[in-house]
Amino acid sequence: MKKILLSVVLLFSVSTVIAQTEAELKALKKVKQDSIAQIQSRVNAIQGKIDALPGWKKGAFGTLGVNLSSFDNWYSQGSANVSAGNIGLTANAFANLKQPKYFWRNSLNINLGWVKFDDKDDPTDDDSFQEATDVFNISSLYGYKLTEKLAVSTLAEYRTTILNNFNDPGYLDVGVGATWTPIDNLVVVVHPLNYNFVFAKNDAVFESSLGAKVVADYTRSIGKVSFKSNLSAFYSYENSDLSNYTWINSFGYTLWKNIGVGFEFGLRGNKQEALNFANNNLAVGATELDFDTVDNKLQSYYLVGLNYKF
């Protein structure tokens, strides 16, 4: 009986010591985490001062998504012998000059994608990678400061595809107006005088026009996180059917060294592109559509994959 009682007491004592040790370790962990948070806060404050200094600020990050597969004699699916693949690449870069009296902001966004679906039992199908996502956007904004947050500005922005139908269509916006920077890293451009040059072979659908340009851009890098959101919209004074907008959002998280995971998605509304696409894909003998009859659906894309931060 004494041995049993002694064993119980010993077991209880060991459990108490382990519980105390675990509690002490958790308390120590909390103290260290608080210290890390305080250090990171001081680092962020210093980085904020660095970012506020005049001069050039440059950066870039991109995402690569790859999905390759091959099936042989996989009888549970309709095509038993298939080789498929999906490759996507995005790149976001900026080069910004900040001076006491003026600024010059330059940005680049590229998103390229290829897909293939090869039915090995069908010798007539296309077994090559075909272009899917195809986005190229470059812009340059110059502003002369009236106040620390408000400037008169001029913007040039060019958008097109580069893998297929380069500059068909292509869009070049050139305009003047004002730029507002209410907080760090956020730039809002309002140009009531803007001309939207449209380059395309089908001039019956695509037409240049005068209008207003609005751009909102937020680009920031905080520690391991990099993100960018850019909205570019044009409103035509001549005809609302000639208006368009594009909204692109990119996110990157660094896991090891400069490598991490990334995500990008984009939305676009463009009635001219919708009408051109619909008429190019009409059935034989069908009547061509116009701006009043075309279904202008929302355009979208997304990409998830590995991310690299420069």
Side-chain angles (χ1 to χ4, degrees):
M1 185 63 181
K2 290 182 179 180
K3 291 182 178 180
I4 295 174
L5 182 60
L6 181 61
S7 299
V8 172
V9 172
L10 182 60
L11 182 61
F12 178 76
S13 300
V14 171
S15 300
T16 303
V17 171
I18 293 176
Q20 289 176 343
T21 303
E22 183 180 359
E24 291 172 355
L25 289 175
K26 287 183 177 180
L28 181 60
K29 178 183 177 182
K30 186 176 185 304
V31 172
K32 296 298 182 182
Q33 287 177 332
D34 291 341
S35 299
I36 293 173
Q38 292 173 3
I39 293 172
Q40 187 62 54
S41 177
R42 292 196 292 269
V43 170
N44 291 341
I46 294 172
Q47 185 62 51
K49 293 180 180 180
I50 294 174
D51 294 339
L53 293 174
W56 283 100
K57 300 293 186 296
K58 302 175 184 178
F61 67 97
T63 299
L64 174 64
V66 179
N67 183 359
L68 303 176
S69 62
S70 180
F71 295 87
D72 293 303
N73 303 318
W74 201 260
Y75 298 121
S76 62
Q77 61 184 18
S79 299
N81 300 286
V82 172
S83 176
N86 189 317
I87 300 174
L89 169 68
T90 72
N92 292 278
F94 66 90
N96 300 331
L97 176 62
K98 184 177 182 180
Q99 295 294 345
K101 291 294 185 180
Y102 67 91
F103 60 81
W104 184 22
R105 303 176 63 89
N106 304 276
S107 66
L108 170 70
N109 172 261
I110 298 175
N111 187 309
L112 306 176
W114 298 264
V115 296
K116 84 165 185 175
F117 185 91
D118 175 26
D119 186 346
K120 300 174 186 177
D121 297 325
D122 183 1
T124 63
D125 73 343
D126 190 346
D127 61 355
S128 63
F129 278 92
Q130 302 179 53
E131 297 88 354
T133 309
D134 192 354
V135 176
F136 179 86
N137 190 318
I138 186 170
S139 67
S140 184
L141 173 69
Y142 177 85
Y144 183 83
K145 295 181 180 179
L146 301 177
T147 68
E148 190 58 32
K149 297 185 180 299
L150 186 65
V152 291
S153 57
T154 180
L155 170 73
E157 181 185 71
Y158 178 67
R159 308 182 307 283
T160 187
T161 56
I162 55 178
L163 295 179
N164 193 11
N165 297 327
F166 175 72
N167 206 40
D168 184 23
Y171 305 90
L172 174 62
D173 281 293
V174 179
V176 294
T179 294
W180 180 44
T181 53
I183 59 175
D184 291 340
N185 307 303
L186 175 61
V187 178
V188 180
V189 179
V190 180
H191 285 178
L193 185 59
N194 181 92
Y195 200 82
N196 179 235
F197 295 92
V198 183
F199 310 99
K201 295 178 181 178
N202 187 357
D203 54 9
V205 173
F206 294 99
E207 182 181 346
S208 303
S209 63
L210 180 69
K213 183 75 173 180
V214 176
V215 176
D217 183 277
Y218 189 78
T219 304
R220 192 172 184 185
S221 180
I222 307 174
K224 297 181 178 182
V225 178
S226 300
F227 54 91
K228 176 183 178 69
S229 181
N230 180 276
L231 172 65
S232 177
F234 170 75
Y235 179 78
S236 174
Y237 293 148
E238 298 178 25
N239 191 326
S240 61
D241 292 331
L242 306 180
S243 303
N244 61 76
Y245 71 87
T246 302
W247 184 30
I248 298 175
N249 299 271
S250 305
F251 172 85
Y253 183 80
T254 303
L255 297 173
W256 177 72
K257 292 187 176 180
N258 290 337
I259 301 174
V261 293
F263 173 71
E264 177 170 303
F265 76 91
L267 302 174
R268 173 179 287 174
N270 191 314
K271 205 166 188 179
Q272 294 176 93
E273 292 179 352
L275 179 58
N276 184 64
F277 179 82
N279 284 334
N280 286 341
N281 291 274
L282 284 176
V284 178
T287 304
E288 284 200 350
L289 303 173
D290 56 26
F291 284 119
D292 294 328
T293 56
V294 69
D295 185 7
N296 183 24
K297 295 180 179 179
L298 178 67
Q299 304 175 44
S300 65
Y301 73 84
Y302 73 88
L303 174 69
V304 180
L306 292 177
N307 176 269
Y308 189 85
K309 179 181 179 182
F310 297 89

